[in-house]
Amino acid sequence: MYAAARLGRENFWFSFALVLIVACLLVPTASAQRTKIFGTVRDENGMPIELANVRVAGTTNITATNFQGNYTLYTQSSDSVLVLYSMIGYNQRRRLLRNPGDSIHLDVTLSSADTSFGTAVVKGISVQTTTEQRISMTDVSTTPSTTGNGVEEIIQTQAGVSTHNELSSQYNVRGGSFDENVVYLNGLEIYRPMLVRSGQQEGLSVINQDMVERIGFSSGGFEARYGDKMSSVLDITYKRPEQWEGRIYASLLGAGGYLGWGNKHVSLMTSLRYKTTGYFLGTLDTDAEYKPNFLDYQAFFSWHPNKRWSIDLIGNISDNHYSFIPESRETKFGTMEEAKSFKVYFDGKEKDRFKTLFGAASITRHFNPESFLALQVSAFGTSERENFDIAGEYWLQEATSQERLGVGTYMEHARNRLQASVVNAALRFRTRIGKPGADNSHTLQAGVKYSYEKIRERSTEWEMRDSMGYSLPYSLDELKLIYSLKSANEVIQNRLEVFLQDSWRSRTKLGLWNLTYGVRLTYLDWNKETLISPRVSLGLLPSFSEHWTFRFATGVYYQAPFYKELRDTTLTKGLATVRLNRNIKSQRSIHFVLGADYSFRMLDRPFKFTVEAYYKALSNLNPYSVDNMRIVYYGRNIASGYAAGLDLKLYGEFVPGTDSWITFSLMRTREKINGQWVSRPTDQRYSISLFFTDYFPGSTRWRGSLRLAFADGLPFGPPHSDRSMQNFRAPAYKRVDLGLSYRLIKNEDRHITRGIGKIIKNAWLGLDAFNIIGIKNVNSYYWVTDITNAQYAVPNYLTGRQINARFSIEF
């Protein structure tokens, strides 16, 4: 009986355990199953959306997409799971999952918040967690352009960026000079001619707007993967077309054509551009025969034989000629009480040529979509010649009484030659640690670059002035020139650059953090200098609001000396001597940038307001003077200084289907030279810029574009003088350009199926009004000195009001 009872109890407990196990298997519990949800979020054009929010309703489970639009999210399974997808500028999307299993793959497309205005697509506004912003190229081809360089002209309208010359594509960023901006094309550093002294001589930029896919721009606090410049980075990526496309255009200022073709494995883009600004230069005060002719050809070939390998080739040839034969000039200036007139009759001419070649090749091994190793080789060469012999007889007099204040002659002579070649070889690597879209992941980047630079210069310049029959500077014993320079130098320099960078994305209760930190090391054999540049930026998308984004960046940035910075120019009684300084050091700037974005909707359209405050501590400065577009350095590290300011920008769709923005900047930059504080040549205290596009009511065929610039004048002083004497300030730069375009053919939906019209996408006619208000902006000054050593600053005005007609056809 005891054994039977024991056996019965064992059977009871066994049966009870069996029933319990079956119950556990059959009855779901809250902690029994964990579901993985992953996929990609894209827009209506199939492009990935970065930093879109993905969350499970009713829970704290939330994540954000990575730069490829991928995401991964884990949640507790239940009978139904509601997943919400949202992004500023897009309609929210919901997906309800019934009894999800262990994992589920969901690819989602977010539509624009406003689907259309006619056929104009309204785009969402991207989220910016670093100091690099994405610049939109929308409508650039139909906006008025004075230089033919559409990308640079868009950059000039950004907050913290300014220009005081509509003939040039160069720009100043937060108190920096033109030389402090670095430009990359497909990861390759771009160089430009070095002898250009005026906007009239400047040709086309290597950047062709028709070939551009992506524009990244940072006005400070940029990442360690970018090179040794102190002010800004412009990062251009060319597209790889997958079908036939093209564009031809012509105007009174030039013409050009672009053709692209490709498939999944091969793509080719080629373009030819011609620019001539003679018609535009006719509005200057100087009556002359202007013959500027600028030609540019480039091609980009890309081959992807398979998913593992890709090969890219790019080439550019630029041949720029500038011929100038002046005849006469009359400039009226001064005030109502003291109006003056300056008349000159010329003899002589100027003839310049700038020819540049650029070529690059890269081969990339793709280990997976997140990892690659690339080998890049590039070469740049330039041959530059500047020649002029111009004599002038001038009269300076009161504009009302015709009383003569000065009369004299002058002669300017130059024979300048420069040849340069730069060869680069670089190795770049990138990979991601962590699952795509995960809340905790790292993106590692590293690179090494070797550069060989050889520059040879031969320069001869002199200027003679005669006032009232006396040569200046006056001497009883000998005839002297007011300025003369003779230089013969050669620079051969090797530099080695290495960088390592990590971007770490992590989510906490405060929100989504993006930390980018890295270090850059550079060695220059010219002066045996080693530079170490640590940089860090931190961005936050707070959990309490989807509208705000905060960021902070700091780092040490160097301006490694190139050819112009090495020239130690000493001026003694008008005689300039030039030697190359072997002891020159890199200029240094420590950046502190604090910024925030607020994205919102107004009138049911997306907008973004951006504010950034910055401070730059400058040391080892190499002071310089600016004459027109020419920068002349002291060639010595004898100054320290600072730049501080505030940038504001409002960006959005003021009109449905178009991108517009307005910016306002305050800035102060000064430097201390030999114990004396002076304003830097780029000390622009305020600036306002506007880029506005509009459609005519009820029609998308008519389009208007408006560009406005209002910027404080820059400091200036007598030519070839010490910086302590440059304590005058030019008038503010004010300019308004207006463009009007009419779409002759609109075939984006391919409704035209017969004739030549079936291959046309759009055809535009346009009319531009440059400087429509007719304001005379000052470019530089010509200084007249009489025998009593009294000096008069005669303004050299920029272009006046002018009309331009244009047309373009897109295929």
Side-chain angles (χ1 to χ4, degrees), residues 514-566:
N514 190 82
L515 175 66
T516 300
Y517 56 96
V519 64
R520 189 175 190 89
L521 185 144
T522 303
Y523 174 74
L524 310 172
D525 73 340
W526 174 265
N527 53 3
K528 310 300 181 185
E529 184 180 24
T530 301
L531 309 174
I532 300 177
S533 175
R535 307 173 190 179
V536 61
S537 66
L538 179 65
L540 172 64
L541 276 70
S543 56
F544 64 82
S545 174
E546 296 181 355
H547 299 280
W548 283 99
T549 304
F550 303 98
R551 57 184 172 274
F552 172 76
T554 185
V556 180
Y557 298 84
Y558 290 95
Q559 182 80 14
F562 201 57
Y563 161 69
K564 288 191 288 186
E565 291 97 323
L566 299 175

Side-chain angles (χ1 to χ4, degrees), residues 208-257:
N208 187 334
Q209 67 188 46
D210 290 322
M211 302 169 71
V212 172
E213 179 183 58
R214 176 187 177 276
I215 302 175
F217 178 71
S218 174
S219 53
F222 41 90
E223 300 172 0
R225 61 191 173 104
Y226 294 121
D228 295 311
K229 297 289 185 178
M230 291 202 304
S231 289
S232 74
V233 168
L234 177 59
D235 191 1
I236 303 295
T237 303
Y238 273 179
K239 58 187 175 182
R240 294 173 173 84
E242 295 188 357
Q243 59 183 358
W244 285 103
E245 62 181 42
R247 177 174 175 258
I248 58 173
Y249 60 92
S251 74
L252 297 176
L253 302 180

